[in-house]
């Protein structure tokens, strides 16, 4: 059985609001815990009408407080938006509240557009070395004996596990160099997947945190009792991606019968590209697709995500994914 984890964006559905999204996230985390999922991660995005997880550390604490055993973390914190010390304090606090249960995934994308980044007081000057320096500084703040004169309190000595997230070769190289686990965003940016895995595994240097490479891959699962039901549920995700890529981001829409069939060639090609790491169907279909993906990539762990409009259908999809993974 390959370990499964959950990536949640706290999606805001049409007709819903952030409060409802948070209730759905807690219900999903509790469900995932009962099903034996390893982790429940939340992603930092800003200025997105359909994503409620902007204050990621706050929401991680809320979810961790509503669960008992499952690891809860960030997938990820977009480090260029923050000072390393602030993140060390936030996650040191979470680690003190929920010992042994907090993960810290780090990405270098802003998680927003340029205007939103400026509103976050982010420096938009590009420095390719800044992200690696910030990661090393943050890890030092979390270590037992920080080299810096300033201390993160809480934070110092918490040794919160750090992951590198990526959708390009840069993150794979950095994770390998630092000896950190690597999570690739194949659920929406799969084009460099196999190259990134190869670079990470071939260049990996053992560290105090990790002795051997560990690859976790994002994977979309939209599962239902029949292929037809799953295909209809998947149209919410498909609409959301087309809307986002055509400059019309919004709340997660309800399923739309005949949606894919009505799309033009360009939109169909877009979905085939960005959602190539996706299983949509009945338990048997999802099992075959998931098995083939794991065999092709030799993933150590899958981070399942599923943008499904109906809450009960979403819980059922994660239940099916857990069952077929066994």
């Amino acid at each position: 059985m390959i370990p499964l984890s959950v990536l949640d964006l706290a999606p805001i559905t049409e007709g819903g609001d952030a409060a409802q999204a948070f209730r759905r996230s807690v219900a999903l985390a509790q469900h995932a815990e009962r099903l034996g999922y390893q982790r429940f991660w939340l992603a930092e995005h800003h200025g997105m009408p359909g994503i409620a997880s902007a204050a990621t550390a706050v929401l991680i604490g809320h979810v961790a407080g509503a669960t008992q055993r499952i690891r809860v973390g960030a997938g990820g914190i977009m480090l260029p938006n923050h000072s390393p010390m602030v993140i060390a304090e936030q996650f040191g606090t979470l680690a003190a509240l929920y010992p042994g249960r907090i993960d810290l995934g780090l990405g270098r994308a802003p998680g927003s557009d340029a205007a939103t980044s400026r509103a976050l007081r982010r420096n938009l000057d590009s420095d390719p070395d800044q992200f690696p320096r910030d990661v090393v500084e943050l890890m030092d703040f979390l270590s037992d004996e920080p080299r810096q004169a300033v201390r993160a309190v809480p934070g110092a000595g918490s040794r919160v596990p750090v992951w590198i997230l990526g959708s390009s070769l840069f993150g794979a190289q950095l994770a390998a160099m630092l000896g950190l686990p690597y999570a690739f965003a194949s659920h929406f940016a799969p084009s460099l997947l196999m190259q990134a895995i190869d670079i990470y595994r071939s260049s990996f240097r053992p560290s105090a945190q990790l002795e051997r490479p560990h690859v976790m891959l994002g994977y979309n699962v939209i599962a239902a009792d029949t292929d037809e039901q799953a295909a209809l549920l998947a149209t919410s995700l498909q609409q959301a991606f087309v809307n986002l890529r055509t400059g019309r981001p919004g709340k997660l829409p309800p399923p739309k019968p005949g949606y894919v069939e009505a799309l033009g060639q360009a939109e169909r090609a877009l979905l085939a590209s960005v959602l190539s790491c996706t299983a949509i169907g009945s338990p048997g279909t999802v099992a075959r697709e998931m098995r083939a993906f794991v065999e092709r990539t030799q993933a150590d762990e899958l981070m399942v995500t599923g943008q499904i409009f109906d809450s009960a259908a979403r819980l059922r999809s994660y239940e099916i994914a857990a069952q077929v993974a066994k």
Side-chain angles (χ1 to χ4, degrees):
M1 175 183 178
I2 186 169
L4 295 185
S5 294
V6 175
L7 175 64
D8 184 32
L9 304 182
I12 303 174
T13 58
E14 288 186 8
D17 56 18
Q20 180 197 57
F22 298 147
R23 290 192 295 270
R24 284 168 48 111
S25 290
V26 167
L28 179 58
Q30 292 170 335
H31 186 62
E33 184 172 68
R34 288 191 295 268
L35 292 169
Y37 281 83
Q38 300 282 312
R39 316 172 198 280
F40 188 92
W41 281 10
L42 294 140
E44 176 186 350
H45 291 276
H46 299 280
M48 300 291 288
I51 298 176
S53 52
T56 316
V58 175
L59 191 51
I60 288 170
H62 179 61
V63 170
T67 52
Q68 296 179 336
R69 299 176 305 278
I70 194 169
R71 298 190 67 89
V72 187
I77 290 295
M78 300 297 105
L79 194 52
N81 296 335
H82 313 276
S83 79
M85 183 171 177
V86 167
I87 298 304
E89 291 172 337
Q90 290 178 358
F91 279 78
T93 299
L94 289 167
L97 290 168
Y98 310 104
R101 294 182 56 208
I102 301 300
D103 293 328
L104 175 54
L106 301 172
R108 68 176 182 134
S112 59
D113 56 28
T116 306
S117 294
R118 282 190 289 271
L120 288 164
R121 304 295 193 267
R122 178 173 179 259
N123 183 353
L124 298 181
D125 293 337
S126 178
D127 180 354
D129 295 326
Q130 189 60 49
F131 179 65
R133 286 198 297 263
D134 284 349
V135 171
V136 171
E137 181 180 346
L138 173 54
M139 291 173 64
D140 184 59
F141 276 129
L142 297 172
S143 68
D144 289 332
E145 298 181 359
R147 297 184 300 273
Q148 300 161 89
V150 177
R151 290 291 185 270
V153 181
S158 62
R159 292 182 288 175
V160 175
V162 171
W163 293 63
I164 298 296
L165 280 57
S167 58
S168 69
L169 306 184
F170 182 92
Q173 294 166 337
L174 180 61
M177 181 181 69
L178 297 178
L180 297 176
Y182 181 51
F184 188 86
S186 38
H187 59 294
F188 74 89
S191 61
L192 297 174
L193 170 61
M194 299 309 295
Q195 288 176 264
I197 292 173
D198 181 64
I199 287 174
Y200 171 67
R201 287 180 172 148
S202 62
S203 306
F204 182 83
R205 302 175 185 174
S207 69
Q209 179 175 327
L210 195 64
E211 293 184 358
R212 57 181 61 86
H214 187 94
V215 174
M216 179 163 61
L217 302 180
Y219 193 66
N220 298 293
V221 174
I222 310 292
D225 293 325
T226 69
D227 288 343
E228 292 75 21
Q229 289 173 336
L232 179 59
L233 293 174
T235 59
S236 293
L237 172 65
Q238 293 158 346
Q239 290 176 77
F241 262 108
V242 171
N243 292 342
L244 177 63
R245 295 300 178 94
T246 54
R248 298 175 290 116
K251 295 183 177 182
L252 184 69
K256 187 175 183 179
Y259 174 72
V260 175
E261 292 76 9
L263 289 175
Q265 186 175 354
E267 288 83 4
R268 290 195 193 193
L270 167 67
L271 291 177
S273 173
V274 300
L275 298 181
S276 62
C277 298
T278 302
I280 300 171
S282 64
T285 300
V286 169
R288 288 192 299 273
E289 295 288 338
M290 187 182 295
R291 185 182 305 114
F293 182 72
V294 172
E295 289 176 354
R296 177 166 67 93
T297 61
Q298 294 298 299
D300 299 298
E301 188 173 343
L302 290 188
M303 178 149 274
V304 175
T305 185
Q307 297 274 60
I308 297 176
F309 183 84
D310 179 76
S311 183
R314 183 165 80 143
L315 297 179
R316 174 63 178 149
S317 180
Y318 279 95
E319 181 181 4
I320 292 172
Q323 290 170 347
V324 302
K326 298 178 181 178

